[in-house]
């Protein structure tokens, strides 16, 4: 990802948008919560949305940016099972939906690297 001074803010914006979407349209996220997790999917949907919003806030503030970037790195790794669950569940859907589900899997790698890069740069670009 770009090493510009805007990079942490761009990642914060992406996380804020995703976090807000968990509250605005929770059903789509409920559907991809791995069934092995205890409790109701909606609880996990709201919890992950809240985490994304908190990470976005942390990335937006220079003082907390490095810690938030480390946490975002771990978060992106941690939510990968939901993307795998989605790919498995959508394997029999029409081609565009199947492609979207499969396309999410490799996209996790640049997100992890982006957050890690921000953390390695001491919270700078």
């Amino acid at each position: 990802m770009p090493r510009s001074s805007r990079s942490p803010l761009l990642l914060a914006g992406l996380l804020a948008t995703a976090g807000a979407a968990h509250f605005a349209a929770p059903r789509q996220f409920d559907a991809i919560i791995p069934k092995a997790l205890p409790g109701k999917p909606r609880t996990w949907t709201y919890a992950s949305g809240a985490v994304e919003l908190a990470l976005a806030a942390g990335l937006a503030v220079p003082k907390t940016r490095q810690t938030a970037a480390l946490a975002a790195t771990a978060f992106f790794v941690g939510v990968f099972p939901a993307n795998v669950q989605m790919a498995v569940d959508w394997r029999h859907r029409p081609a565009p939906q199947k492609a979207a589900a499969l396309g999410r899997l490799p996209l996790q790698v640049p997100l992890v690297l982006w957050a890690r890069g921000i953390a390695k740069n001491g919270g700078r670009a």
Side-chain angles (χ1 to χ4, degrees):
M1 293 314 288
R3 299 259 186 232
S4 76
S5 60
R6 294 186 337 217
S7 182
L9 298 179
L10 292 171
L11 184 55
L14 182 120
L15 283 162
T17 300
H22 281 70
F23 292 95
R27 286 178 59 201
Q28 69 183 14
F29 296 98
D30 293 347
I32 64 170
I33 300 297
K35 290 159 188 41
L37 290 175
K40 296 181 180 187
R42 183 63 52 94
T43 303
W44 289 100
T45 295
Y46 286 158
S48 61
V51 168
E52 287 175 326
L53 291 171
L55 291 170
L59 284 164
V61 178
K63 186 175 180 179
T64 58
R65 188 168 289 154
Q66 185 173 20
T67 301
L70 287 170
T73 302
F75 178 78
F76 290 137
V77 171
V79 299
F80 186 72
N83 293 342
V84 172
Q85 183 70 51
M86 182 181 184
V88 169
D89 290 347
W90 288 23
R91 69 187 178 279
H92 301 299
R93 290 201 178 187
Q97 291 177 327
K98 188 179 352 181
L102 290 172
R104 288 175 64 119
L105 298 176
L107 287 177
Q108 210 68 21
V109 173
L111 290 173
V112 169
L113 295 175
W114 189 4
R116 187 175 140 244
I118 293 168
K120 284 178 82 171
N121 287 317
R124 295 179 307 277

